[in-house]
Amino acid sequence: MIRSVFITGANAGLGKESARQLALRANIDKIYLGCRDPQKGQIAQAELEQLTGRNIFEVITIDVSNLDSVANAVNSLPQSVDALVMNAGGTGGKHFHNLNSSGVTEIFAVNLLGHSVLAESLLTSGKLNHVAVYAGSEAARGVEEMGMKRPTFDTSSVSEFVGLAQGSYLSSVNDPTVAYGPIKYMGALWMSAMARRYPQVRFVTMSPGATIGTQGFDSLPLLKRVMMQSAMKVMLLLGKAHKVETGASRYMDAVFNANYKSGLFYASRKGLTGELADQATLFADIAKEQYQENAYQAIKQLAPM
């Protein structure tokens, strides 16, 4: 029985909508709102309480791009949670390719490294009981009809993944949306490796799909941000994207429906919305255990625990 959930990036967009949908379930009695800005978190909490009529929300301050913040969040969590929704992410800010204090790029830190440390820290401290959901993306296997190229690694080796994290793999790229897909590919592989190491917990990578109403593009340069937001509106009208309620409901399915199997990566079968499918049926590399282990070992090199 899932009764308590911790959501990262919970003060807006998909995270906030996920919290709202969770609170509509009578069996849920605690929702931790993981937020980088505690003031924004308190505002979101008040709004959620008004929307749902329930006083079950608590703000946990966490910046997943900062490992000290992640450690503090784990320590401050007053009890174990039944489910973790690793929703925070994005394009890594205006200087996405800069290295942070952990020696990885900002975009890698916010999308993968922080969440990997968060999940494993919760597990080793006995604070995660049943389900871990990681926000995947169709970009991890490429979306030809949207001009999104499939990640191209020679062998998906440990050294290649470390290079991705430290910025050398895509050193000439100045567009964060190009780096985003390979990072999400590595994230899905890492989740599969975690599923083998912690069989008592169900690890599901679930893409929320092309979702309008999020803050995913907010840190892009102005022109790029306007272009992406406009494109999303057009995609919604054409049925190639969906609203935030649909994206969050994918997370909810991953949390509550055991038919979504541990270690697998689910996303749209075609394009960025619509029917879900195991992405390994579309991109076989996702199912290769050696690649999964390489992703896990690369993360261990970057953030030994």
Side-chain angles (χ1 to χ4, degrees), residues 10-11 16 30-31 33 35 38-52 54-60:
N11 65 279
K16 184 179 178 183
K30 194 68 179 182
I31 301 171
L33 306 173
C35 305
Q39 186 174 10
K40 290 182 179 179
Q42 295 297 334
I43 293 171
Q45 177 179 346
E47 291 173 348
L48 286 164
E49 288 173 350
Q50 185 175 21
L51 283 169
T52 65
R54 302 194 68 192
N55 185 22
I56 60 172
F57 306 96
E58 182 175 336
V59 175
I60 299 290

Side-chain angles (χ1 to χ4, degrees), residues 89-94 96 106-107 110-111 176-177 180 216-220:
T91 55
K94 295 180 180 179
F96 75 97
E106 295 288 353
I107 190 172
V110 73
N111 282 290
T177 61
Y180 185 76
F217 302 130
D218 284 7
S219 61
L220 290 174

Side-chain angles (χ1 to χ4, degrees), residues 280-291:
T281 63
L282 305 174
F283 183 21
D285 287 5
I286 291 168
K288 294 183 178 179
E289 287 194 13
Q290 186 59 63
Y291 293 178

Side-chain angles (χ1 to χ4, degrees), residues 91-158:
T91 55
K94 295 180 180 179
H95 305 290
F96 75 97
H97 212 260
N98 285 3
L99 301 185
N100 72 358
S101 59
S102 298
V104 302
T105 64
E106 295 288 353
I107 190 172
F108 188 88
V110 73
N111 282 290
L112 182 50
L113 188 64
H115 279 135
S116 69
V117 173
L118 172 62
E120 197 136 21
S121 296
L122 289 172
L123 286 160
T124 56
S125 61
K127 289 186 173 182
L128 177 56
N129 301 326
H130 299 305
V131 182
V133 177
Y134 174 69
S137 171
E138 286 82 359
R141 47 86 171 158
V143 185
E144 185 177 342
E145 56 269 45
M146 299 297 176
M148 302 166 68
K149 295 183 179 180
R150 176 167 291 182
T152 54
F153 292 92
D154 290 336
T155 59
S156 292
S157 64
V158 173

